[in-house]
Amino acid sequence: MPFVGRRMGRGVTALGLAAVLSVPLHEATAGPSAAAAVCAGAQSDFNGDGIRDVAVADPEATVSGKERAGQIHIVYGGGKGTFALSQDSPNVTDNAETGDQFGFSFAVYDANLDGCSDIAVGTPYEDITLPGGTVKDAGLVRIIYGSPTGIAPPTPATIGFRQGADGRLGGVVEADDWVGYAVAAGKSTTNNPFLVIGAPGEDGGEGADMGMFHYVSGTGYLVANVAQDSPGVWEDPEPNDRFGATIAATDRHIVVGAPGESRDSATADVEFAGGVIAFKPSINTDGIPDPLFGMGQALTGGTDIAAQTGDQYGSALAMAPYRPAGAATITDSVLAVGVPGEDLSTTVDAGAVHTYHIKADGTVQQLNWVDQNRPGVEGEAEPGDFFGQRIAAVNTATNVVSTAATMRFAVGVPGEESTEEYRDEGGVQLFSMLGEPGAADSWISPGNGIPATRAPLMLTGMGLGAAPDALYVGVPYGPAASRAVHAFAWNTPDGGAPDRSWKPGEGGIPAENVAFGTSVR
């Protein structure tokens, strides 16, 4: 679950990569401008029929014989079919290549304001071929547009974002920048769509893997490039900060993780302690999203006596819109920050999650520290649980004042094991974002609510997604027959059954899969 060497794996899974084949990058022309609405404008609705659709990633899928090329399965709501989206799809101006991992990250939003949802897909291990040669793992993000016919053709030509003078993001194309390692998207309070693209492998004068992010706003796709030496941004860039490795967004706030951030202590640097930095999704006079604050485990930065080497605070982020008492509408956000490398006394890598209230004025207040040793919380912290490696968060009722019942989050615990027979079987724990952690938590795992055959190395909890009416739990590893995505109610009790499921080989989804459900929206 921690970062491994220079290659940033998403976990201790089969997601390590082999060398990537080199092919040219095919760029599209500029995307369409905002058009007259022909779609219903529902969330995650690619075909505009007013029914929510589901996107399930398999970034290790073999496509056209190319291993780990990656694809995303679009499942249309209302039983209207499926579509396997890859770089070989006829409406995608690119080609599937070995090791690209198309779908390693993705975000769903209405990029061109036509009422149909679009999908921005991160391919961080894309090689870019330039006149001077091929640049390994530079990375690429593509927006594939929805339409009344869905993601499938005929749809507008896709638009690509990569670094370089001709790649819309500016800068220099470099090996191992991993553009698109993380993406998040939304629409600001002024109805301005935005896309945030992480490039955690970006190098600079201070060293390798300092990281940065690109902020793409409006239907004209205006780009602002943000690093830790940008005006007003917390902390200075350092080697291995990996700023941009994780991103979360609401219409009010953007939070970007730097899980490799080192912190100073009284005796030495605390390496890979981690940090996060918050912004508003609006451009300030410096030409970047307005920075609000940065913090490590001591809340507001500065001396951080709680930080430990390898905590990787910020390895996972999730955020939900929040309407406080007395407010007429959503004004705030509640943030959950995963610290999967947290040691609890002598329990190494047990993991923890912090929750915070980000207020309308840009200030932040810590709400809770959550781990499996807290009073009333189901289970017990164990070495190697990596509690907090993945997080999903939601406000299930945005039209009313938020409560402990409407503000919920789920924590992936991929290293959980109930017996030695099922090492790293994993599981998912559900909590309220408000109130005491043990007051409303529940636990689901293979054979205990999740309909799957128990086995070692299932790493359940590595694939999570949030919708207002459902928590999506992916089971991408373990026995092939158990690989699936399950939708649970946010108030599911211990061992509660899913409301519905999607499995390879069923309902029009192709049977071939490698890691079905690593990401779900």
Side-chain angles (χ1 to χ4, degrees):
M1 288 83 181
F3 294 133
V4 181
R6 288 269 297 164
R7 177 75 61 158
M8 294 164 56
R10 293 202 70 165
V12 286
T13 69
L15 290 179
L17 301 179
V20 182
L21 298 182
S22 58
V23 298
L25 171 70
H26 302 289
E27 271 298 345
T29 57
S33 59
V38 293
C39 297
Q43 287 187 340
S44 294
D45 179 13
F46 299 111
N47 59 0
D49 62 357
I51 304 173
R52 189 180 185 97
D53 305 321
V54 178
V56 181
D58 184 350
E60 292 192 84
T62 297
V63 177
S64 302
K66 308 294 177 59
E67 294 183 354
R68 301 179 309 282
Q71 65 183 358
I72 296 175
H73 300 278
I74 307 296
V75 182
Y76 296 109
K80 295 182 180 178
T82 65
F83 180 70
L85 176 65
S86 74
Q87 292 187 97
D88 273 358
S89 297
N91 58 326
V92 177
T93 49
D94 209 347
N95 300 105
E97 301 137 11
T98 298
D100 278 353
Q101 291 206 51
F102 176 87
F104 186 89
S105 67
F106 70 90
V108 176
Y109 76 126
D110 187 0
N112 56 1
L113 297 181
D114 68 349
C116 291
S117 294
D118 311 308
I119 186 167
V121 182
T123 313
Y125 303 116
E126 177 84 32
D127 293 355
I128 305 299
T129 297
L130 300 175
T134 298
V135 184
K136 293 282 189 181
D137 298 343
L140 168 73
V141 171
R142 283 206 174 277
I143 297 176
I144 299 101
Y145 296 96
S147 74
T149 59
I151 290 291
T155 56
T158 63
I159 183 170
F161 296 91
R162 63 165 172 81
Q163 295 176 332
D166 61 346
R168 293 195 176 88
L169 299 181
V172 178
V173 179
E174 298 171 312
D176 299 321
D177 275 352
W178 306 307
V179 171
Y181 188 87
V183 294
K187 186 166 61 176
S188 73
T189 56
T190 58
N191 203 41
N192 198 45
F194 64 85
L195 171 66
V196 190
I197 300 172
E202 179 72 26
D203 298 342
E206 290 79 6
D209 296 348
M210 295 184 307
M212 67 177 301
F213 73 86
H214 305 280
Y215 181 74
V216 182
S217 62
T219 57
Y221 307 111
L222 301 176
V223 175
N225 301 316
V226 184
Q228 285 185 276
D229 56 2
S230 297
V233 177
W234 179 71
E235 284 284 283
D236 296 320
E238 301 167 314
N240 298 314
D241 279 351
R242 292 166 180 174
F243 179 55
T246 52
I247 308 169
T250 67
D251 63 350
R252 301 279 174 170
H253 302 105
I254 299 165
V255 177
V256 180
E261 180 76 45
S262 62
R263 306 302 311 279
D264 294 332
S265 72
T267 58
D269 279 348
V270 182
E271 296 182 345
F272 285 87
V276 301
I277 304 174
F279 302 81
K280 287 184 178 179
S282 56
I283 298 296
N284 64 12
T285 56
D286 292 310
I288 65 172
D290 199 18
L292 294 176
F293 59 85
M295 60 186 182
Q297 292 207 72
L299 182 63
T300 55
T303 302
D304 189 343
I305 58 174
Q308 300 169 315
T309 297
D311 279 351
Q312 298 191 57
Y313 172 96
S315 287
L317 299 173
M319 191 159 52
Y322 176 60
R323 177 177 168 183
T329 186
I330 295 287
T331 56
D332 301 7
S333 302
V334 177
L335 169 71
V337 179
V339 198
E342 178 70 32
D343 298 345
L344 300 178
S345 185
T346 59
T347 308
V348 177
D349 295 337
V353 174
H354 297 268
T355 57
Y356 304 92
H357 176 193
I358 305 177
K359 301 180 181 180
D361 62 4
T363 59
V364 60
Q365 175 186 358
Q366 187 165 16
L367 297 176
N368 266 309
W369 166 292
V370 185
D371 66 53
Q372 289 185 298
N373 284 347
R374 289 293 304 272
V377 171
E378 179 83 10
E380 180 181 354
E382 300 167 312
D385 276 352
F386 295 101
F387 178 95
Q389 184 68 34
R390 295 285 183 271
I391 317 173
V394 73
N395 182 340
T396 62
T398 56
N399 60 337
V400 298
V401 171
S402 301
T403 67
T406 64
M407 300 294 297
R408 302 284 291 168
F409 76 110
V411 179
V413 195
E416 180 78 25
E417 51 197 51
S418 55
T419 68
E420 291 184 5
E421 182 181 2
Y422 302 116
R423 179 172 60 90
D424 295 340
E425 173 187 30
V428 178
Q429 201 149 8
L430 286 75
F431 299 89
S432 172
M433 298 192 87
L434 309 174
E436 285 300 312
D441 72 307
S442 57
W443 175 261
I444 54 176
S445 59
N448 182 47
I450 297 175
T453 301
R454 299 178 68 192
L457 298 174
M458 295 182 74
L459 299 166
T460 308
M462 287 296 286
L464 295 179
D469 65 340
L471 163 68
Y472 300 123
V473 177
V475 186
Y477 307 110
S482 295
R483 294 175 192 167
V485 169
H486 307 286
F488 291 86
W490 282 97
N491 60 354
T492 295
D494 281 342
D499 295 331
R500 57 195 187 279
S501 301
W502 299 270
K503 298 186 68 173
E506 298 181 4
I509 300 171
E512 297 80 12
N513 76 96
V514 182
F516 180 86
T518 56
S519 297
V520 192
R521 300 286 185 276

